[in-house]
Amino acid sequence: MSVDAKLPFLPFALPEIGEEEIAEVVDALRSGWVTTGPKTKRFEADFSAFLAGEGGDPAQFHSIAVNSATAGLHLALEALGIGPGDEVITTTHTFTASAEVARYLGADVKLVDIDPATLCICPAAIEAAITPRTKAIVPVHYAGLACDMPAILAIARRHGLKVVEDAAHALPTTCGGRLVGTLDSDVTVFSFYANKTITTGEGGMLVTRDAAIAARAKVMRLHGINRDAFDRFTAKVPSWYYEIVAPGFKYNLTDIAAALGLHQLQRARAFQDKRTALAAAYGQALAGLPLTLPPQPAAGELHAWHLYVVQLGDDAPIGRDAFIEALFAEGIGCSVHYIPLHQHPYWRERYGLKAEDFPASQRAFERMVSLPLYTRMTEADVQRVAAAVRRALGKA
Ligand SMILES: *Cc1c(COP(=O)(O)O)cnc(C)c1O
């Protein structure tokens, strides 16, 4: 095995933060507005404009900045009135945040299997899991590839269910030529966590067209106060008065974080071009190996390429864990997305789940590896990873 000891460690993920982001953060620090203020407002307006696109009307969207996607998902379900006795359907093949927010509200979670071809939630499995208690569906655009939203929205309409898209991976992703965030669901939630396609360190955005949902989410974002601190301190008249109308949360985004988001959002298209090019380079370099490569988007659709997930074939000479160790030994970080929720003690025990009930997720989990994919990688980095993959598979 030829391992070049001089190569630095190639981590699984890294953010790309430029001088503009840094200057904007410094500006926030010098301005006196460190928590939610003018930069957060601008970030929300820019986000709506991003979704509306050239010539579109940003006013049709309410973009509400929050301090995580988890917070946004919680606010979304809360605004939709999800509570004890209700059931929320989501995929087992996701991060626990997609599901845990229903539990915050006392609702139950029905985990369902994925489509093995896309690793996104399986519409037929959703329909089979619906009971009289079902209130909402939380689809996850896995790795940045859109779910089958036409099928999911049709099921929701047929059964009178709400749809909250977990778009943590999906900026920018399209479905039927429309950006995720502009589809016909009730709410869409994006994540700006450190390893996502754009980052504010920690942060997220709740997007809805529904003015009532937006109003409720805004109130609950900040302690159930009926006007936010920014309005209070920028009012032209003395405005110490406010009212608490609900036991709300502390989910507002800081201006320090929004400062990052303003410039990250401007770079979202360029970042995606880079991720798409790197994914294409992986596709060429890994062709012909005993691997299943990730599904491609349909012609003309955007894939955010948050993750590049391969699955070891039945003919691979080593298993998933040994494969990850082999790459680590060559200085390459990998990950697994995800350990399915049905495998975790909390979800397994609470709902008595068995791996056999989720055959597609279980099978994918046992073979899957997420290779490094981020904008600071070069095509040479991709070739380095691909060479290590070939060696691990005995095909050097
Ligand atoms: C990252 C992620 C979240 C949570 O995002 P935070 O901003 O960290 O709260 C939710 N769902 C999925 C699928 C994620 O990958």
Side-chain angles (χ1 to χ4, degrees), residues 221-238:
R221 173 177 63 173
L222 195 69
H223 299 297
I225 296 174
N226 65 354
R227 60 199 304 192
D228 67 33
F230 182 67
D231 293 343
R232 211 146 59 84
F233 291 113
T234 56
K236 297 286 182 284
V237 293

Side-chain angles (χ1 to χ4, degrees), residues 67-71 73 94-95 97-98 140 166 168-169 190-193 195-196 202-204 306 338:
N67 58 12
S68 70
T70 308
L73 291 165
T94 187
F95 185 59
S98 311
V140 178
D166 180 338
H169 301 181
F190 296 91
S191 174
F192 312 133
Y193 180 67
N195 69 357
K196 297 290 161 57
E202 300 281 356
H306 166 54
Y338 290 90

Side-chain angles (χ1 to χ4, degrees), residues 186-210:
D186 295 278
V187 186
T188 304
V189 179
F190 296 91
S191 174
F192 312 133
Y193 180 67
N195 69 357
K196 297 290 161 57
T197 56
I198 74 167
T199 187
T200 60
E202 300 281 356
M205 194 70 78
L206 181 160
V207 179
T208 182
R209 280 202 188 78
D210 186 309

